[in-house]
CSV table of all heavy atoms in Angstrom, one decimal:
chain,number,residue,atom,x,y,z
A,250,MET,N,142.0,123.2,162.4
A,250,MET,CA,141.6,121.8,162.5
A,250,MET,C,140.3,121.5,161.8
A,250,MET,O,139.3,122.3,162.0
A,250,MET,CB,141.5,121.4,163.9
A,250,MET,CG,141.3,119.9,164.1
A,250,MET,SD,141.2,119.6,165.9
A,250,MET,CE,139.8,118.5,165.9
A,251,TYR,N,140.2,120.5,161.0
A,251,TYR,CA,139.0,120.2,160.3
A,251,TYR,C,138.0,119.6,161.2
A,251,TYR,O,138.3,118.7,162.0
A,251,TYR,CB,139.2,119.2,159.2
A,251,TYR,CG,139.9,119.8,158.0
A,251,TYR,CD1,141.2,119.4,157.6
A,251,TYR,CD2,139.3,120.8,157.3
A,251,TYR,CE1,141.9,120.0,156.5
A,251,TYR,CE2,140.0,121.5,156.2
A,251,TYR,CZ,141.2,121.1,155.8
A,251,TYR,OH,141.8,121.7,154.8
A,252,VAL,N,136.8,120.1,161.1
A,252,VAL,CA,135.6,119.5,161.8
A,252,VAL,C,135.0,118.4,160.9
A,252,VAL,O,134.7,117.3,161.3
A,252,VAL,CB,134.6,120.6,162.2
A,252,VAL,CG1,133.3,119.9,162.7
A,252,VAL,CG2,135.2,121.5,163.2
A,253,CYS,N,134.8,118.8,159.7
A,253,CYS,CA,134.2,118.0,158.7
A,253,CYS,C,135.2,117.7,157.6
A,253,CYS,O,135.5,118.5,156.8
A,253,CYS,CB,133.0,118.6,158.1
A,253,CYS,SG,132.2,117.7,156.8
A,254,SER,N,135.7,116.4,157.6
A,254,SER,CA,136.8,116.1,156.6
A,254,SER,C,136.1,115.8,155.2
A,254,SER,O,136.8,115.9,154.2
A,254,SER,CB,137.6,115.0,157.1
A,254,SER,OG,136.9,114.0,157.6
A,255,CYS,N,134.9,115.4,155.2
A,255,CYS,CA,134.2,115.2,153.9
A,255,CYS,C,134.2,116.4,153.0
A,255,CYS,O,134.4,116.4,151.8
A,255,CYS,CB,132.8,114.7,154.1
A,255,CYS,SG,132.7,113.0,154.8
A,256,PHE,N,134.0,117.6,153.7
A,256,PHE,CA,133.9,118.8,152.9
A,256,PHE,C,135.0,119.8,153.3
A,256,PHE,O,134.9,121.0,152.8
A,256,PHE,CB,132.5,119.5,153.1
A,256,PHE,CG,131.4,118.6,152.5
A,256,PHE,CD1,130.6,117.8,153.3
A,256,PHE,CD2,131.1,118.7,151.2
A,256,PHE,CE1,129.6,117.1,152.8
A,256,PHE,CE2,130.1,117.9,150.6
A,256,PHE,CZ,129.3,117.1,151.4
A,257,GLY,N,135.9,119.4,154.1
A,257,GLY,CA,137.1,120.3,154.4
A,257,GLY,C,136.6,121.5,155.1
A,257,GLY,O,137.1,122.6,154.9
A,258,VAL,N,135.7,121.3,156.0
A,258,VAL,CA,135.2,122.5,156.8
A,258,VAL,C,135.9,122.5,158.1
A,258,VAL,O,136.0,121.5,158.9
A,258,VAL,CB,133.7,122.4,157.0
A,258,VAL,CG1,133.2,123.6,157.9
A,258,VAL,CG2,132.9,122.4,155.7
A,259,THR,N,136.4,123.7,158.5
A,259,THR,CA,137.2,123.9,159.7
A,259,THR,C,136.3,124.4,160.8
A,259,THR,O,135.2,124.9,160.6
A,259,THR,CB,138.4,124.9,159.5
A,259,THR,OG1,137.8,126.2,159.2
A,259,THR,CG2,139.3,124.5,158.3
A,260,GLU,N,136.9,124.2,162.0
A,260,GLU,CA,136.2,124.7,163.2
A,260,GLU,C,136.0,126.2,163.1
A,260,GLU,O,134.9,126.7,163.5
A,260,GLU,CB,137.1,124.4,164.5
A,260,GLU,CG,136.4,124.7,165.8
A,260,GLU,CD,137.1,124.2,167.0
A,260,GLU,OE1,137.9,123.2,166.8
A,260,GLU,OE2,137.0,124.7,168.1
A,261,GLN,N,136.9,126.9,162.6
A,261,GLN,CA,136.8,128.4,162.4
A,261,GLN,C,135.6,128.7,161.5
A,261,GLN,O,134.8,129.6,161.8
A,261,GLN,CB,138.1,128.9,161.7
A,261,GLN,CG,139.2,129.0,162.6
A,261,GLN,CD,138.9,129.8,163.9
A,261,GLN,OE1,138.2,130.8,163.9
A,261,GLN,NE2,139.4,129.4,165.0
A,262,GLN,N,135.4,127.9,160.4
A,262,GLN,CA,134.3,128.1,159.5
A,262,GLN,C,133.0,127.9,160.2
A,262,GLN,O,132.0,128.6,160.1
A,262,GLN,CB,134.4,127.3,158.3
A,262,GLN,CG,135.5,127.7,157.3
A,262,GLN,CD,135.6,126.7,156.2
A,262,GLN,OE1,136.2,125.7,156.4
A,262,GLN,NE2,135.1,127.0,155.0
A,263,VAL,N,132.9,126.8,161.0
A,263,VAL,CA,131.7,126.5,161.8
A,263,VAL,C,131.4,127.6,162.7
A,263,VAL,O,130.2,128.1,162.9
A,263,VAL,CB,131.8,125.2,162.5
A,263,VAL,CG1,130.6,124.9,163.4
A,263,VAL,CG2,131.9,124.0,161.5
A,264,LYS,N,132.4,128.1,163.4
A,264,LYS,CA,132.2,129.2,164.4
A,264,LYS,C,131.7,130.5,163.7
A,264,LYS,O,130.9,131.2,164.2
A,264,LYS,CB,133.5,129.5,165.1
A,264,LYS,CG,133.8,128.5,166.2
A,264,LYS,CD,135.1,128.9,166.9
A,264,LYS,CE,135.5,127.9,167.9
A,264,LYS,NZ,136.8,128.0,168.4
A,265,LYS,N,132.3,130.7,162.5
A,265,LYS,CA,131.9,131.9,161.7
A,265,LYS,C,130.4,131.8,161.3
A,265,LYS,O,129.6,132.7,161.5
A,265,LYS,CB,132.7,132.0,160.5
A,265,LYS,CG,132.3,133.0,159.5
A,265,LYS,CD,132.8,134.4,159.9
A,265,LYS,CE,132.6,135.5,158.9
A,265,LYS,NZ,131.2,135.8,158.6
A,266,HIS,N,130.0,130.6,160.9
A,266,HIS,CA,128.5,130.4,160.5
A,266,HIS,C,127.7,130.6,161.8
A,266,HIS,O,126.6,131.1,161.7
A,266,HIS,CB,128.3,129.1,159.9
A,266,HIS,CG,128.9,128.9,158.6
A,266,HIS,ND1,128.7,129.8,157.6
A,266,HIS,CD2,129.8,128.0,158.1
A,266,HIS,CE1,129.4,129.5,156.5
A,266,HIS,NE2,130.0,128.3,156.8
A,267,ALA,N,128.2,130.1,162.9
A,267,ALA,CA,127.4,130.3,164.2
A,267,ALA,C,127.3,131.8,164.5
A,267,ALA,O,126.2,132.2,164.9
A,267,ALA,CB,128.1,129.6,165.3
A,268,GLU,N,128.3,132.5,164.3
A,268,GLU,CA,128.3,134.0,164.5
A,268,GLU,C,127.3,134.6,163.6
A,268,GLU,O,126.6,135.6,163.9
A,268,GLU,CB,129.7,134.6,164.3
A,268,GLU,CG,130.6,134.4,165.5
A,268,GLU,CD,132.0,134.8,165.2
A,268,GLU,OE1,132.2,135.6,164.2
A,268,GLU,OE2,132.9,134.4,166.0
A,269,ASP,N,127.2,134.1,162.4
A,269,ASP,CA,126.3,134.6,161.4
A,269,ASP,C,124.9,134.2,161.6
A,269,ASP,O,124.0,134.6,160.9
A,269,ASP,CB,126.7,134.2,160.0
A,269,ASP,CG,128.0,134.9,159.6
A,269,ASP,OD1,128.4,135.9,160.2
A,269,ASP,OD2,128.7,134.4,158.6
A,270,GLY,N,124.6,133.4,162.6
A,270,GLY,CA,123.3,133.1,163.0
A,270,GLY,C,122.9,131.6,163.0
A,270,GLY,O,121.7,131.3,163.3
A,271,ALA,N,123.7,130.7,162.5
A,271,ALA,CA,123.4,129.3,162.5
A,271,ALA,C,123.4,128.8,163.9
A,271,ALA,O,124.4,128.9,164.6
A,271,ALA,CB,124.3,128.5,161.6
A,272,CYS,N,122.4,128.2,164.4
A,272,CYS,CA,122.3,127.7,165.8
A,272,CYS,C,122.2,126.2,165.9
A,272,CYS,O,122.2,125.6,166.9
A,272,CYS,CB,121.1,128.3,166.5
A,272,CYS,SG,121.2,130.1,166.6
A,273,THR,N,122.0,125.5,164.7
A,273,THR,CA,121.8,124.1,164.8
A,273,THR,C,122.7,123.4,163.7
A,273,THR,O,123.1,124.1,162.7
A,273,THR,CB,120.3,123.7,164.4
A,273,THR,OG1,120.1,124.1,163.1
A,273,THR,CG2,119.3,124.4,165.3
A,274,PRO,N,123.0,122.2,163.9
A,274,PRO,CA,123.8,121.5,162.9
A,274,PRO,C,123.2,121.5,161.5
A,274,PRO,O,123.9,121.6,160.5
A,274,PRO,CB,123.9,120.0,163.4
A,274,PRO,CG,123.8,120.2,164.9
A,274,PRO,CD,122.8,121.3,165.1
A,275,ARG,N,121.9,121.6,161.5
A,275,ARG,CA,121.2,121.6,160.2
A,275,ARG,C,121.5,122.9,159.5
A,275,ARG,O,121.6,123.0,158.2
A,275,ARG,CB,119.7,121.4,160.4
A,275,ARG,CG,119.0,121.2,159.1
A,275,ARG,CD,117.5,121.0,159.3
A,275,ARG,NE,117.3,119.7,159.9
A,275,ARG,CZ,116.2,118.9,159.5
A,275,ARG,NH1,115.4,119.4,158.6
A,275,ARG,NH2,116.0,117.7,160.0
A,276,GLN,N,121.5,124.0,160.3
A,276,GLN,CA,121.7,125.3,159.7
A,276,GLN,C,123.2,125.4,159.2
A,276,GLN,O,123.5,126.0,158.2
A,276,GLN,CB,121.4,126.4,160.7
A,276,GLN,CG,119.9,126.5,160.8
A,276,GLN,CD,119.5,127.5,161.9
A,276,GLN,OE1,120.3,127.8,162.8
A,276,GLN,NE2,118.3,128.0,161.9
A,277,ILE,N,124.1,124.8,160.0
A,277,ILE,CA,125.5,124.7,159.5
A,277,ILE,C,125.6,124.0,158.2
A,277,ILE,O,126.3,124.4,157.3
A,277,ILE,CB,126.4,124.0,160.6
A,277,ILE,CG1,126.4,124.9,161.9
A,277,ILE,CG2,127.8,123.8,160.1
A,277,ILE,CD1,127.1,126.2,161.8
A,278,ALA,N,124.8,122.9,158.1
A,278,ALA,CA,124.8,122.1,156.9
A,278,ALA,C,124.3,122.9,155.7
A,278,ALA,O,124.9,122.8,154.6
A,278,ALA,CB,124.0,120.8,157.1
A,279,SER,N,123.3,123.7,156.0
A,279,SER,CA,122.8,124.5,154.9
A,279,SER,C,123.8,125.5,154.4
A,279,SER,O,123.9,125.9,153.3
A,279,SER,CB,121.5,125.2,155.3
A,279,SER,OG,120.5,124.3,155.6
A,280,ALA,N,124.6,126.0,155.4
A,280,ALA,CA,125.6,127.0,155.1
A,280,ALA,C,126.8,126.5,154.4
A,280,ALA,O,127.4,127.1,153.5
A,280,ALA,CB,126.0,127.8,156.3
A,281,CYS,N,127.3,125.3,154.8
A,281,CYS,CA,128.6,124.9,154.2
A,281,CYS,C,128.6,123.4,153.9
A,281,CYS,O,129.7,122.8,153.6
A,281,CYS,CB,129.7,125.3,155.2
A,281,CYS,SG,129.6,124.5,156.8
A,282,LYS,N,127.5,122.7,154.0
A,282,LYS,CA,127.4,121.3,153.7
A,282,LYS,C,128.0,120.3,154.8
A,282,LYS,O,127.8,119.1,154.7
A,282,LYS,CB,128.1,120.9,152.4
A,282,LYS,CG,127.3,121.4,151.2
A,282,LYS,CD,128.0,120.8,150.0
A,282,LYS,CE,127.3,121.0,148.7
A,282,LYS,NZ,128.0,120.5,147.6
A,283,ALA,N,128.7,120.9,155.8
A,283,ALA,CA,129.3,120.1,156.8
A,283,ALA,C,128.2,119.2,157.4
A,283,ALA,O,127.1,119.7,157.8
A,283,ALA,CB,130.0,120.9,157.9
A,284,GLY,N,128.5,117.9,157.5
A,284,GLY,CA,127.6,117.0,158.2
A,284,GLY,C,126.6,116.3,157.2
A,284,GLY,O,125.8,115.5,157.7
A,285,THR,N,126.7,116.6,156.0
A,285,THR,CA,125.7,116.1,155.0
A,285,THR,C,126.2,114.9,154.3
A,285,THR,O,125.4,114.3,153.5
A,285,THR,CB,125.2,117.1,154.0
A,285,THR,OG1,126.4,117.6,153.3
A,285,THR,CG2,124.5,118.3,154.7
A,286,ASP,N,127.4,114.4,154.5
A,286,ASP,CA,127.9,113.2,153.8
A,286,ASP,C,127.9,112.1,154.8
A,286,ASP,O,126.9,111.4,155.0
A,286,ASP,CB,129.3,113.5,153.2
A,286,ASP,CG,129.6,112.4,152.2
A,286,ASP,OD1,128.9,111.4,152.2
A,286,ASP,OD2,130.6,112.6,151.5
A,287,CYS,N,129.0,111.8,155.5
A,287,CYS,CA,129.0,110.6,156.4
A,287,CYS,C,128.4,110.9,157.7
A,287,CYS,O,127.9,110.0,158.4
A,287,CYS,CB,130.5,110.2,156.6
A,287,CYS,SG,131.4,111.2,157.7
A,288,GLY,N,128.3,112.2,158.1
A,288,GLY,CA,127.6,112.5,159.3
A,288,GLY,C,128.4,112.4,160.6
A,288,GLY,O,127.9,112.7,161.7
A,289,SER,N,129.6,111.9,160.4
A,289,SER,CA,130.4,111.6,161.7
A,289,SER,C,130.8,112.9,162.4
A,289,SER,O,131.3,112.9,163.5
A,289,SER,CB,131.6,110.8,161.3
A,289,SER,OG,132.5,111.6,160.6
A,290,CYS,N,130.7,114.1,161.7
A,290,CYS,CA,131.1,115.3,162.3
A,290,CYS,C,130.0,116.0,163.0
A,290,CYS,O,130.2,117.1,163.7
A,290,CYS,CB,131.7,116.2,161.2
A,290,CYS,SG,130.5,116.5,159.9
A,291,VAL,N,128.8,115.5,162.9
A,291,VAL,CA,127.6,116.3,163.5
A,291,VAL,C,127.8,116.5,165.0
A,291,VAL,O,127.5,117.6,165.5
A,291,VAL,CB,126.3,115.5,163.1
A,291,VAL,CG1,125.1,116.2,163.9
A,291,VAL,CG2,126.1,115.5,161.7
A,292,ARG,N,128.3,115.5,165.7
A,292,ARG,CA,128.5,115.7,167.1
A,292,ARG,C,129.5,116.8,167.4
A,292,ARG,O,129.3,117.5,168.4
A,292,ARG,CB,128.9,114.4,167.8
A,292,ARG,CG,127.8,113.5,168.1
A,292,ARG,CD,128.3,112.1,168.5
A,292,ARG,NE,127.1,111.3,168.9
A,292,ARG,CZ,126.6,111.2,170.1
A,292,ARG,NH1,127.1,111.9,171.1
A,292,ARG,NH2,125.6,110.5,170.3
A,293,ARG,N,130.5,116.8,166.6
A,293,ARG,CA,131.6,117.8,166.8
A,293,ARG,C,130.9,119.2,166.6
A,293,ARG,O,131.2,120.2,167.3
A,293,ARG,CB,132.8,117.6,165.9
A,293,ARG,CG,133.8,116.7,166.5
A,293,ARG,CD,135.0,116.6,165.6
A,293,ARG,NE,134.6,116.0,164.4
A,293,ARG,CZ,135.2,115.0,163.8
A,293,ARG,NH1,136.2,114.5,164.3
A,293,ARG,NH2,134.7,114.5,162.6
A,294,ILE,N,130.1,119.3,165.5
A,294,ILE,CA,129.5,120.6,165.2
A,294,ILE,C,128.5,121.0,166.3
A,294,ILE,O,128.5,122.1,166.8
A,294,ILE,CB,128.7,120.4,163.9
A,294,ILE,CG1,129.7,120.3,162.7
A,294,ILE,CG2,127.8,121.7,163.6
A,294,ILE,CD1,129.0,119.9,161.4
A,295,GLN,N,127.8,120.0,166.9
A,295,GLN,CA,126.9,120.3,168.0
A,295,GLN,C,127.7,120.8,169.2
A,295,GLN,O,127.3,121.8,169.9
A,295,GLN,CB,126.2,119.0,168.4
A,295,GLN,CG,124.9,118.8,167.6
A,295,GLN,CD,124.3,117.5,168.0
A,295,GLN,OE1,124.9,116.5,168.4
A,295,GLN,NE2,123.0,117.4,167.8
A,296,ALA,N,128.9,120.2,169.4
A,296,ALA,CA,129.7,120.6,170.5
A,296,ALA,C,130.2,122.1,170.3
A,296,ALA,O,130.2,122.9,171.3
A,296,ALA,CB,130.9,119.7,170.7
A,297,ILE,N,130.6,122.4,169.1
A,297,ILE,CA,131.0,123.8,168.8
A,297,ILE,C,129.9,124.7,169.0
A,297,ILE,O,130.0,125.8,169.6
A,297,ILE,CB,131.6,123.8,167.4
A,297,ILE,CG1,132.9,123.0,167.3
A,297,ILE,CG2,131.9,125.3,167.0
A,297,ILE,CD1,133.4,122.8,165.9
A,298,LEU,N,128.7,124.4,168.5
A,298,LEU,CA,127.6,125.3,168.6
A,298,LEU,C,127.2,125.4,170.1
A,298,LEU,O,126.8,126.5,170.5
A,298,LEU,CB,126.4,124.7,167.9
A,298,LEU,CG,126.5,124.7,166.4
A,298,LEU,CD1,125.3,124.0,165.8
A,298,LEU,CD2,126.6,126.1,165.8
A,299,GLY,N,127.4,124.4,170.9
A,299,GLY,CA,127.1,124.4,172.3
A,299,GLY,C,128.0,125.4,173.0
A,299,GLY,O,127.6,126.1,174.0
A,300,ARG,N,129.3,125.5,172.6
A,300,ARG,CA,130.2,126.3,173.3
A,300,ARG,C,130.1,127.8,172.8
A,300,ARG,O,130.2,128.7,173.5
A,300,ARG,CB,131.7,125.8,172.9
A,300,ARG,CG,132.1,124.7,173.7
A,300,ARG,CD,133.6,124.6,173.8
A,300,ARG,NE,134.2,124.6,172.4
A,300,ARG,CZ,134.5,123.6,171.7
A,300,ARG,NH1,134.3,122.4,172.2
A,300,ARG,NH2,135.1,123.7,170.5
A,301,ALA,N,129.9,127.9,171.5
A,301,ALA,CA,129.9,129.2,170.9
A,301,ALA,C,128.6,130.0,171.3
A,301,ALA,O,127.6,129.5,171.4
A,301,ALA,CB,129.9,129.1,169.4
A,302,ALA,N,128.9,131.3,171.6
A,302,ALA,CA,127.7,132.1,171.9
A,302,ALA,C,127.0,132.3,170.6
A,302,ALA,O,127.5,132.7,169.6
A,302,ALA,CB,128.2,133.4,172.4
A,303,CYS,N,125.7,132.0,170.6
A,303,CYS,CA,124.9,132.2,169.4
A,303,CYS,C,124.0,133.4,169.6
A,303,CYS,O,123.1,133.4,170.4
A,303,CYS,CB,124.0,131.0,169.1
A,303,CYS,SG,123.0,131.3,167.7
A,304,PRO,N,124.4,134.5,168.9
A,304,PRO,CA,123.7,135.8,169.1
A,304,PRO,C,122.2,135.7,168.9
A,304,PRO,O,121.4,136.4,169.5
A,304,PRO,CB,124.3,136.7,168.2
A,304,PRO,CG,125.4,136.0,167.5
A,304,PRO,CD,125.3,134.6,167.8
A,305,ARG,N,121.8,134.7,168.1
A,305,ARG,CA,120.3,134.7,167.7
A,305,ARG,C,119.6,133.5,168.3
A,305,ARG,O,118.5,133.2,168.0
A,305,ARG,CB,120.2,134.7,166.2
A,305,ARG,CG,120.8,135.9,165.6
A,305,ARG,CD,120.7,136.0,164.1
A,305,ARG,NE,121.8,136.6,163.5
A,305,ARG,CZ,121.9,137.0,162.2
A,305,ARG,NH1,120.9,136.6,161.4
A,305,ARG,NH2,122.9,137.6,161.8
A,306,ARG,N,120.3,132.9,169.3
A,306,ARG,CA,119.7,131.7,169.8
A,306,ARG,C,118.3,132.0,170.5
A,306,ARG,O,117.4,131.2,170.4
A,306,ARG,CB,120.6,131.0,170.9
A,306,ARG,CG,120.1,129.7,171.4
A,306,ARG,CD,121.1,129.1,172.4
A,306,ARG,NE,122.3,128.7,171.7
A,306,ARG,CZ,122.5,127.5,171.3
A,306,ARG,NH1,121.5,126.6,171.4
A,306,ARG,NH2,123.6,127.1,170.7
A,307,GLU,N,118.3,133.2,171.1
A,307,GLU,CA,117.0,133.5,171.8
A,307,GLU,C,115.9,133.6,170.8
A,307,GLU,O,114.8,133.1,171.1
A,307,GLU,CB,117.1,134.9,172.4
A,307,GLU,CG,117.5,134.8,173.9
A,307,GLU,CD,117.6,136.2,174.5
A,307,GLU,OE1,116.8,137.0,174.3
A,307,GLU,OE2,118.6,136.4,175.2
A,308,LEU,N,116.1,134.2,169.6
A,308,LEU,CA,115.1,134.2,168.6
A,308,LEU,C,114.7,132.8,168.2
A,308,LEU,O,113.5,132.5,168.0
A,308,LEU,CB,115.6,135.0,167.4
A,308,LEU,CG,115.7,136.5,167.5
A,308,LEU,CD1,116.3,137.1,166.2
A,308,LEU,CD2,114.4,137.1,167.8
A,309,ALA,N,115.7,132.0,168.0
A,309,ALA,CA,115.4,130.6,167.6
A,309,ALA,C,114.6,129.9,168.6
A,309,ALA,O,113.7,129.1,168.3
A,309,ALA,CB,116.8,129.9,167.3
A,310,ASP,N,114.9,130.1,169.9
A,310,ASP,CA,114.2,129.4,170.9
A,310,ASP,C,112.8,129.9,171.0
A,310,ASP,O,111.9,129.1,171.4
A,310,ASP,CB,114.9,129.7,172.3
A,310,ASP,CG,116.2,128.9,172.5
A,310,ASP,OD1,116.4,128.0,171.7
A,310,ASP,OD2,116.9,129.3,173.4
A,311,GLN,N,112.5,131.1,170.5
A,311,GLN,CA,111.2,131.6,170.5
A,311,GLN,C,110.4,131.2,169.2
A,311,GLN,O,109.3,131.5,169.0
A,311,GLN,CB,111.2,133.1,170.6
A,311,GLN,CG,111.6,133.6,171.9
A,311,GLN,CD,112.0,135.1,171.9
A,311,GLN,OE1,111.6,135.8,170.9
A,311,GLN,NE2,112.8,135.6,172.8
A,312,GLY,N,111.1,130.4,168.4
A,312,GLY,CA,110.5,129.9,167.2
A,312,GLY,C,110.4,131.0,166.1
A,312,GLY,O,109.7,130.8,165.1
A,313,LYS,N,111.2,132.1,166.2
A,313,LYS,CA,111.1,133.1,165.2
A,313,LYS,C,112.2,132.8,164.1
A,313,LYS,O,113.2,132.1,164.4
A,313,LYS,CB,111.5,134.5,165.8
A,313,LYS,CG,110.4,134.9,166.8
A,313,LYS,CD,110.7,136.3,167.3
A,313,LYS,CE,109.6,136.7,168.3
A,313,LYS,NZ,110.0,137.7,169.2
A,314,PRO,N,112.0,133.2,162.9
A,314,PRO,CA,112.9,133.0,161.9
A,314,PRO,C,114.3,133.6,162.2
A,314,PRO,O,114.3,134.7,162.6
A,314,PRO,CB,112.3,133.6,160.7
A,314,PRO,CG,110.9,134.0,161.0
A,314,PRO,CD,110.8,134.0,162.5
A,315,VAL,N,115.3,132.8,162.1
A,315,VAL,CA,116.6,133.2,162.4
A,315,VAL,C,117.3,133.6,161.2
A,315,VAL,O,117.8,134.8,161.0
A,315,VAL,CB,117.4,132.2,163.2
A,315,VAL,CG1,118.9,132.6,163.4
A,315,VAL,CG2,116.8,131.9,164.5
A,316,LEU,N,117.4,132.7,160.2
A,316,LEU,CA,117.9,133.0,158.9
A,316,LEU,C,116.7,132.7,158.0
A,316,LEU,O,116.3,131.6,157.9
A,316,LEU,CB,119.0,132.0,158.5
A,316,LEU,CG,120.3,132.1,159.5
A,316,LEU,CD1,121.3,131.1,159.0
A,316,LEU,CD2,120.9,133.5,159.4
A,317,THR,N,116.2,133.8,157.4
A,317,THR,CA,115.0,133.7,156.7
A,317,THR,C,115.0,132.5,155.7
A,317,THR,O,114.0,131.7,155.6
A,317,THR,CB,114.7,135.0,155.9
A,317,THR,OG1,115.0,136.0,156.8
A,317,THR,CG2,113.3,135.1,155.4
A,318,ASP,N,116.1,132.3,154.9
A,318,ASP,CA,116.1,131.3,153.9
A,318,ASP,C,116.2,129.9,154.5
A,318,ASP,O,116.1,128.9,153.8
A,318,ASP,CB,117.2,131.6,152.9
A,318,ASP,CG,118.5,131.7,153.5
A,318,ASP,OD1,118.6,132.1,154.7
A,318,ASP,OD2,119.5,131.5,152.8
A,319,LEU,N,116.6,129.8,155.8
A,319,LEU,CA,116.7,128.5,156.4
A,319,LEU,C,115.6,128.2,157.4
A,319,LEU,O,115.6,127.2,158.0
A,319,LEU,CB,118.0,128.5,157.2
A,319,LEU,CG,119.3,128.7,156.4
A,319,LEU,CD1,120.5,128.8,157.3
A,319,LEU,CD2,119.5,127.6,155.4
A,320,ALA,N,114.7,129.1,157.5
A,320,ALA,CA,113.6,129.0,158.6
A,320,ALA,C,112.9,127.7,158.4
A,320,ALA,O,112.5,127.0,159.4
A,320,ALA,CB,112.7,130.2,158.5
A,321,ASP,N,112.6,127.3,157.2
A,321,ASP,CA,111.9,126.0,156.9
A,321,ASP,C,112.7,124.8,157.3
A,321,ASP,O,112.1,123.8,157.6
A,321,ASP,CB,111.5,125.9,155.5
A,321,ASP,CG,110.5,127.0,155.1
A,321,ASP,OD1,109.8,127.5,156.0
A,321,ASP,OD2,110.3,127.3,153.9
A,322,ALA,N,114.0,124.9,157.4
A,322,ALA,CA,114.8,123.7,157.7
A,322,ALA,C,114.9,123.5,159.2
A,322,ALA,O,115.3,122.4,159.6
A,322,ALA,CB,116.2,124.0,157.1
A,323,ALA,N,114.5,124.5,160.0
A,323,ALA,CA,114.7,124.3,161.4
A,323,ALA,C,113.7,123.3,162.1
A,323,ALA,O,112.7,123.0,161.5
A,323,ALA,CB,114.5,125.7,162.1
B,256,FES,S1,133.0,114.4,158.2
B,256,FES,FE1,131.4,115.8,157.9
B,256,FES,S2,130.0,114.7,156.7
B,256,FES,FE2,131.7,113.4,156.8
């Protein structure tokens, strides 16, 4: 099922990015553009991130770089 119809991003893809370390909708956007057009999917992305176990969330909560190239976007 599509989460972001503007960019054809599926729930599976968002979960995959979350597993790879994206913990915020902004990091998901950096990874696959989801949420950067009409923005109507951002809440759905937030919901998915809220449910998904984010392995690096602790690091992010401590303010440490999670994805080096995305650290500035956080
Ligand atoms: S549905 Fe994701 S930006 Fe429009």
